[in-house]
């Protein structure tokens, strides 16, 4: 067994981008609708024109992405200029999609902070990130200080219809607090 920090960071970055797009465009619901319509013998192409608006969602262009944790994955999601990590031009995922970036990491080193693109707004308080983000992605280890980082109190500080992506670890989001927020629409997707 080898510890290979950052080895799969680019793969996770790509999964987060997919999750943001899927959460915005209701891709899974549209796919399920098309499968059921086809199985029922319906004319999917004709009927889709009538119902496609129910699967429309917000564009991510111009939206704000809040990144909790600016390590190997979080930095790739934002924009990172530290080429010793083998980043190449075009790895600034969210900036490349036309998003505004707010990052929060209480353990961010000076070296890592200086390596971030100047367009990444690093805040000193998680509440600042929560109140401005349209999308929130979390990339921190699970420990006593990070367990339930996203809880009922955090959700109450978020913008309405926020989309939360957690591909890091179970336990970072209090799913019991999340359920009512999903039902009410305060959180549009998780």
């Amino acid at each position: 067994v080898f510890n290979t920090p950052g080895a799969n960071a680019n793969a996770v970055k790509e999964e987060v981008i997919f999750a943001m797009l899927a959460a915005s465009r209701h891709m899974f619901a549209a796919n399920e609708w098309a499968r059921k319509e086809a199985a029922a013998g319906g004319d999917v192409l004709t009927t889709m024109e009538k119902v496609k608006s129910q699967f429309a969602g917000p564009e991510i262009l111009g939206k704000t992405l809040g990144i909790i944790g600016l390590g190997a994955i979080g930095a790739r999601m934002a924009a990172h200029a530290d080429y010793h990590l083998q980043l190449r031009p075009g790895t600034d995922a969210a900036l490349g999609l036309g998003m505004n970036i707010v990052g929060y990491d209480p353990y961010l080193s000076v070296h890592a902070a200086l390596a971030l693109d100047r367009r990444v707004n690093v805040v000193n308080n998680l509440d600042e990130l929560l109140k401005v983000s349209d999308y929130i992605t979390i990339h921190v280890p699970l420990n006593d200080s990070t367990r339930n980082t996203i809880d009922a109190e955090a959700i109450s500080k978020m913008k309405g219809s926020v989309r939360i992506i957690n591909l890091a670890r179970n336990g970072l989001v209090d799913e019991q607090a999340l359920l009512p927020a999903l039902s009410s629409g305060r959180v549009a997707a998780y």
Side-chain angles (χ1 to χ4, degrees):
V1 176
F2 295 95
N3 180 19
T4 56
N8 68 345
N10 193 66
V12 175
K13 173 196 78 174
E14 291 175 0
E15 290 173 359
V16 172
I17 292 168
F18 170 76
M20 286 191 316
L21 294 170
S24 292
R25 297 304 180 161
H26 310 289
M27 293 174 167
F28 297 114
N31 186 45
E32 184 63 23
W33 174 88
R35 286 178 186 266
K36 286 181 180 177
E37 185 71 16
D43 181 357
V44 176
L45 295 177
T46 303
T47 310
M48 180 53 102
E49 285 301 317
K50 297 175 187 169
V51 299
K52 68 181 179 182
S53 64
Q54 74 187 41
F55 301 115
E59 292 184 2
I60 62 174
L61 178 68
K63 298 295 190 293
T64 298
L65 173 64
I67 303 171
I68 302 171
L70 294 167
I73 297 165
R76 278 176 171 78
M77 279 306 304
H80 203 280
D82 194 347
Y83 287 91
H84 84 274
L85 291 176
Q86 300 176 2
L87 297 177
R88 295 170 301 283
T91 59
D92 54 341
L95 284 171
L97 293 170
M99 299 185 84
N100 303 308
I101 310 300
V102 176
Y104 169 74
D105 190 330
Y107 304 106
L108 186 64
S109 70
V110 171
H111 174 74
L114 290 172
L116 287 170
D117 188 285
R118 63 179 170 73
R119 296 170 291 176
V120 176
N121 179 20
V122 178
V123 296
N124 296 320
N125 183 310
L126 180 58
D127 290 353
E128 292 178 57
L129 179 145
L130 297 174
K131 71 180 181 182
V132 300
S133 299
D134 300 294
Y135 297 80
I136 296 173
T137 183
I138 185 166
H139 304 283
V140 297
L142 179 63
N143 56 42
D144 289 340
S145 68
T146 62
R147 185 175 312 282
N148 294 329
T149 295
I150 306 295
D151 59 8
E153 182 181 350
I155 291 168
S156 73
K157 297 173 183 177
M158 294 176 187
K159 294 170 79 170
S161 298
V162 67
R163 287 160 170 81
I164 301 170
I165 296 120
N166 174 18
L167 299 179
R169 287 155 188 87
N170 190 26
L172 296 174
V173 176
D174 179 351
E175 293 178 355
Q176 293 305 310
L178 185 66
L179 290 173
L182 282 167
S183 295
S184 71
R186 178 151 191 83
V187 174
Y190 174 65

